[in-house]
Amino acid sequence: MADGGAPAEPKAPKQAPQPGQMSQSLDEPVRGLEKVDDLKVHHREFFGGVGSFTVLKHEHLSQSTMSGSFTLTSSTGGVTEYKGCFNGNPADDGPTPNGLGVRINPDGSSFAGEWKEGFPHGQGEWKAAAPSCESYVGEWKRGKKHGYGTMKFNNGDCYEGDWADGKFQDRGKYTYSNGDEFMGLWEKGVKVSGTFYFADGRVSTRKWQGGKLVSCQEFDARKRSYMPTTTHQQVHDPRANQYGAAASMSNMITCNGVRVTT
């Protein structure tokens, strides 16, 4: 009861949401929208009949991403085919691959993955033309292997690790076709330090400078012990390389595995 004994007025009932409000069911189609018809298919032939491209483009966004395909014939007769996303303007000489796309090169090799300004850039896979089984899966930068990736060579070898500017860099594992493995550090495609794990159980830890082997320590799996370290200076010591000279390097080992003693 309110002051003075008058009864309180009842509250008005909550109205149900009307169509068009945020509570409208997502299953109901929205009405009143104008028809969108801004996407157009453009086709153009390259001058001289060397190729053509067909793209789907937004009419009012000159720099929008397009999807389509192109073919281009080189002066030597090789044909390049691309299907995927582009940037550019159909009125120009031709759009530039940008985004996801697949390109087949004149030699039959292919690249499928991410593109930026006409170059493989990001994640992607390159495959050599048949019958070769060579391939690379991993990261790219401006058309070169850069980052982390796996390369399989046609001779059966395989490299898995870091890359920079298209070369082995930093940590990597190289597996040879015969089962031998090398794990270590690389610089500009050249070994710096690491360990060979041979399929027959032998282990060899080595160091290089400028691509030149400077030290080597072998592990005898049968005796389960390390052999003394052999350095570059010991291997090339003049006293050990003269015919008939007295051996004076107790850590020298012949090519047949026989240790030289003084």
Side-chain angles (χ1 to χ4, degrees):
M1 300 291 290
D3 294 343
E9 295 183 2
K11 296 182 179 180
K14 187 176 181 180
Q15 295 183 353
Q18 299 299 316
Q21 296 180 352
M22 293 299 294
S23 59
Q24 182 176 351
S25 173
L26 297 178
D27 296 329
E28 298 180 12
V30 179
R31 302 180 183 276
L33 295 179
E34 297 181 0
K35 183 179 179 181
V36 178
D37 192 21
D38 294 330
L39 297 177
K40 299 292 184 181
V41 175
H42 294 264
H43 179 80
R44 182 178 178 183
E45 298 288 335
F46 290 116
F47 179 78
V50 297
S52 64
F53 68 87
T54 303
V55 296
L56 181 65
K57 187 180 183 302
H58 194 288
E59 287 291 275
H60 306 298
L61 300 176
S62 60
Q63 298 299 321
S64 65
T65 299
M66 303 173 288
S67 62
S69 62
F70 77 75
T71 60
L72 181 64
T73 303
S74 67
S75 59
T76 59
V79 178
T80 299
E81 298 180 0
Y82 176 87
K83 293 182 180 181
C85 297
F86 300 94
N87 268 353
N89 193 319
D92 299 333
D93 291 336
T96 302
N98 202 83
L100 295 177
V102 178
R103 184 180 71 184
I104 301 177
N105 302 308
D107 63 356
S109 63
S110 64
F111 174 83
E114 297 177 292
W115 295 78
K116 183 177 181 181
E117 300 175 352
F119 295 95
H121 190 94
Q123 293 287 339
E125 179 180 9
W126 171 86
K127 289 184 178 181
S132 174
C133 62
E134 197 162 283
S135 66
Y136 171 81
V137 179
E139 297 178 276
W140 297 75
K141 183 178 180 181
R142 297 288 294 178
K144 295 183 178 181
K145 306 174 187 69
H146 192 97
Y148 185 86
T150 300
M151 179 82 181
K152 294 182 179 180
F153 298 92
N154 196 42
N155 64 354
D157 293 355
C158 178
Y159 173 82
E160 180 181 2
D162 298 323
W163 297 74
D165 199 30
K167 300 177 181 179
F168 306 158
Q169 182 71 24
D170 297 329
R171 297 168 298 177
K173 175 183 176 181
Y174 195 102
T175 304
Y176 296 86
S177 59
N178 64 355
D180 296 342
E181 295 181 352
F182 172 80
M183 299 179 66
L185 299 177
W186 305 74
E187 184 175 358
K188 297 181 180 180
V190 178
K191 298 182 183 72
V192 175
S193 63
T195 301
F196 280 96
Y197 298 90
F198 296 102
D200 59 9
R202 292 179 297 119
V203 178
S204 178
T205 300
R206 305 181 183 184
K207 292 183 180 180
W208 292 262
Q209 286 183 357
K212 180 189 296 183
L213 183 64
V214 295
S215 69
C216 176
Q217 185 178 54
E218 306 287 336
F219 176 76
D220 190 329
R222 295 166 298 180
K223 297 181 179 179
R224 302 188 63 81
S225 62
Y226 281 98
M227 309 298 288
T229 300
T230 303
T231 67
H232 175 76
Q233 289 77 13
Q234 291 173 320
V235 171
H236 294 278
D237 190 291
R239 295 172 297 173
N241 290 282
Q242 294 177 1
Y243 179 77
S248 59
M249 308 299 293
S250 60
N251 288 338
M252 295 299 299
I253 302 177
T254 69
C255 59
N256 296 324
V258 178
R259 179 165 300 280
V260 177
T261 59
T262 57

